[in-house]
Amino acid sequence: AQKITQTQPGMFVQEKEAVTLDCTYDTSDQSYGLFWYKQPSSGEMIFLIYQGSYDEQNATEGRYSLNFQKARKSANLVISASQLGDSAMYFCAMREVPFSGGYNKLIFGAGTRLAVHP
Amino acid sequence: DAGVIQSPRHEVTEMGQEVTLRCKPISGHDYLFWYRQTMMRGLELLIYFNNNVPIDDSGMPEDRFSAKMPNASFSTLKIQPSEPRDSAVYFCASRGAVSRTDTQYFGPGTRLTVL
């Protein structure tokens, strides 16, 4: 079964520094997608960044980048120049391919709570 | 463009009452998902629709839960009768058919408290 593991329940970083949030995944599929979502204290789920398994370059979106290491099955999120507003819960997710076919469901990790200190 | 809209944002009800959660997906999106988030179980997919048709409801916890999508711009998740263990945040998400990334966009969620 496909699985997402986020081993850091909580992280903290000093404002303006970079931070890496870990995500490892397990899949036997060759084609898959990896996602990161941010959930601030207000509760909404905000899409941050996507990496496809066949993408040759690591994805970047502004201050967010995804350190994709396919052989290690890891998809770590890097946030550069942290801001106070980055304090939130961060979820890694993977697009699953059901055996029966059809749409690829997302499965989520347990999340990492990031605190940015001034 | 408007994102996914959910109502109500907060709902407090008593055990045994019927609860209806509502969702309006992003215009043009033809996939709609209902999730539940709790501290114990994290984010769980309850059911999803494609072109208004339920495709997979294997995550629906029991017969007390039902979901409908009468048209492309509206879906409901109903719990009848509600129980305290149904207390959670319920998210609706949608995805467009033409999407390289299969990205799902989430609504703000409905925080349900069953007393």
Side-chain angles (χ1 to χ4, degrees):
Chain A
Q2 297 173 324
K3 187 179 177 182
I4 292 281
T5 302
Q6 295 181 254
T7 57
Q8 307 154 313
M11 291 278 288
F12 67 88
V13 64
Q14 209 70 26
E15 194 179 8
K16 299 180 184 177
E17 293 187 349
V19 63
T20 297
L21 307 183
D22 294 342
C23 173
T24 58
Y25 59 92
D26 187 19
T27 179
S28 55
D29 295 317
Q30 296 300 310
S31 178
Y32 51 89
L34 297 152
F35 304 77
W36 279 91
Y37 285 84
K38 172 184 178 182
Q39 187 175 38
S41 58
S42 51
E44 68 271 32
M45 293 284 287
I46 303 167
F47 166 70
L48 294 178
I49 195 166
Y50 166 84
Q51 179 82 44
S53 59
Y54 291 117
D55 292 344
E56 294 184 352
Q57 294 189 338
N58 288 342
T60 60
E61 291 286 347
R63 294 185 299 109
Y64 304 108
S65 61
L66 203 152
N67 184 1
F68 181 46
Q69 298 188 45
K70 196 169 182 177
R72 294 185 177 184
K73 294 188 176 178
S74 74
N76 299 339
L77 177 70
V78 180
I79 305 174
S80 63
S82 297
Q83 301 173 355
L84 296 178
D86 294 333
S87 294
M89 196 78 167
Y90 288 82
F91 291 94
C92 181
M94 180 170 62
R95 182 182 60 194
E96 181 181 61
V97 180
F99 290 120
S100 58
Y103 176 70
N104 304 344
K105 297 189 290 187
L106 274 180
I107 55 171
F108 287 84
T112 295
R113 184 168 298 281
L114 176 67
V116 180
H117 296 172
Chain B
D1 288 340
V4 176
I5 298 171
Q6 290 186 248
S7 64
R9 293 293 309 276
H10 302 274
E11 177 80 30
V12 180
T13 191
E14 292 188 346
M15 183 174 64
Q17 296 297 306
E18 177 180 295
V19 175
T20 300
L21 311 181
R22 297 172 176 80
C23 174
K24 176 179 169 55
I26 293 171
S27 177
H29 282 192
D30 61 348
Y31 281 88
L32 184 139
F33 307 83
W34 282 101
Y35 289 88
R36 178 172 68 177
Q37 185 180 35
T38 61
M39 289 293 292
M40 291 297 294
R41 301 175 67 91
L43 267 161
E44 303 174 276
L45 177 65
L46 300 177
I47 185 172
Y48 75 89
F49 296 82
N50 178 218
N51 290 324
N52 313 338
V53 176
I55 303 300
D56 185 349
D57 65 354
S58 59
M60 295 285 262
E62 48 197 274
D63 292 345
R64 297 185 297 106
F65 286 69
S66 62
K68 294 182 180 179
M69 192 165 185
N71 57 61
S73 59
F74 184 66
S75 177
T76 59
L77 178 68
K78 187 174 293 187
I79 309 172
Q80 166 64 18
S82 58
E83 296 182 3
R85 60 191 167 124
D86 302 330
S87 297
V89 180
Y90 291 82
F91 287 101
C92 175
S94 71
R95 167 196 174 266
V98 181
S99 172
R100 181 186 81 87
T101 68
D102 281 341
T103 299
Q104 295 181 22
Y105 294 92
F106 283 72
T110 295
R111 182 173 296 277
L112 173 64
T113 303
V114 183
L115 302 175

